[in-house]
Amino acid sequence: GKTTLRGCINDVEISQVLELPAFRRWLDSLSPELKVEKMQISSVDRFGPTLGFAKCNARVLDKRTGRSIPGITFVRGPSVTVLPVFVDSETQQEYIIALIQPRFPTGQLDFVEAPAGMINLSTENAMNAALRVLEEKVGVDVGVEDVVDMGKTFFGEETPIFLSPGGSDEDMEFYLYKTIVTPCQLLAMKTDLGKNDNLTFGPLLDIMHRSTDAKTWVAFGLYQQLKGSVGRTTSSSPTSSASNVALK
């Protein structure tokens, strides 16, 4: 049967919400075994003049059992996380760059997390988004050949991971940028990054002990698994040349 779609948003037409790439993508992903009887768009967030996230509440049944299932969803679309790893050429110790930023939902002003960002479905794919995140957020300018899709490498196919499946459609792809640097380059990086209050640079495990962010820990877990060649593939993650690192 037909689904009733209605909203209570004063300045936004339902047709505008349906045109959002993230919302269309989410609707297209719904299993045919889900019967959506009614859906209400309760709110829409704007980024300037552009519509961004949408929250909806649906009456949904599992066709297989006829049972009702929770239907509240925060629709925001897909995203990426990038783990930037720098290996000391002499000691082999691993370092990473992480972000320090306020996260109001957590109640924290100095939340430590790996670089991440939403995918602009109108202009880029996940790989493009990962490269953009690296450049915009940590100043690392590299090419497609320098990053690894960790989810695809581990699962054997492109496999986005859901971080909050009980409330959001957001699925995330995880990428690795790994390069070898000399002790002199490490010292220069520490000096340069130390001037930026929004970034932190240090040994991988030290940073991880400071982070309570789920996506950062998923990225770390995938990286550790791939280092041990665990999963559906035995491919090891490549290490880029130190000359590919360009810090702004």
Side-chain angles (χ1 to χ4, degrees), residues 150-157 221-236:
M150 292 195 288
K152 184 175 182 179
T153 305
F154 178 75
F155 290 106
E157 59 184 4
L222 283 171
Y223 175 51
Q224 295 303 311
Q225 292 295 308
L226 294 180
K227 284 172 61 178
S229 297
V230 177
R232 297 183 181 178
T233 176
T234 57
S235 300
S236 58

Side-chain angles (χ1 to χ4, degrees), residues 45-184:
D45 295 310
R46 291 182 179 272
F47 300 103
T50 305
L51 297 184
F53 306 147
K55 182 183 177 184
C56 63
N57 191 355
R59 186 163 65 202
V60 189
L61 298 178
D62 182 339
K63 290 182 179 179
R64 300 167 302 179
T65 63
R67 294 178 180 174
S68 175
I69 63 176
I72 296 177
T73 307
F74 176 39
V75 182
R76 54 178 286 150
S79 58
V80 297
T81 290
V82 188
L83 191 68
V85 179
F86 303 85
V87 183
D88 187 320
S89 60
E90 292 189 359
T91 67
Q92 303 305 305
Q93 184 169 14
E94 296 175 327
Y95 296 79
I96 64 169
I97 303 174
L99 307 183
I100 303 178
Q101 53 190 351
R103 288 296 195 185
F104 179 64
T106 72
Q108 299 181 39
L109 288 170
D110 302 308
F111 196 72
V112 177
E113 56 188 299
M118 303 303 298
I119 300 174
N120 186 333
L121 293 172
S122 300
T123 61
E124 62 186 2
N125 58 27
M127 176 66 77
N128 297 144
L131 296 177
R132 174 177 54 79
V133 164
L134 269 175
E135 183 175 8
E136 290 181 355
K137 299 200 173 183
V138 298
V140 175
D141 186 8
V142 296
V144 172
E145 68 279 3
D146 299 311
V147 295
V148 177
D149 183 337
M150 292 195 288
K152 184 175 182 179
T153 305
F154 178 75
F155 290 106
E157 59 184 4
E158 190 171 299
T159 308
I161 295 174
F162 291 89
L163 296 182
S164 185
S168 176
D169 75 309
E170 181 184 10
D171 57 63
M172 183 169 285
E173 296 191 39
F174 292 84
Y175 288 84
L176 169 70
Y177 169 68
K178 183 176 181 180
T179 189
I180 297 173
V181 292
T182 66
C184 289

Side-chain angles (χ1 to χ4, degrees), residues 8-77:
C8 57
I9 315 164
N10 294 329
D11 61 339
V12 178
E13 297 291 336
I14 293 300
S15 59
Q16 292 177 272
V17 179
L18 292 175
E19 291 172 1
L20 285 173
F23 199 86
R24 292 202 310 269
R25 177 181 183 267
W26 172 64
L27 289 179
D28 290 342
S29 73
L30 296 179
S31 168
E33 296 299 327
L34 293 172
K35 181 180 180 181
V36 183
E37 296 184 326
K38 181 177 69 174
M39 183 182 297
Q40 177 179 357
I41 309 299
S42 55
S43 66
V44 175
D45 295 310
R46 291 182 179 272
F47 300 103
T50 305
L51 297 184
F53 306 147
K55 182 183 177 184
C56 63
N57 191 355
R59 186 163 65 202
V60 189
L61 298 178
D62 182 339
K63 290 182 179 179
R64 300 167 302 179
T65 63
R67 294 178 180 174
S68 175
I69 63 176
I72 296 177
T73 307
F74 176 39
V75 182
R76 54 178 286 150

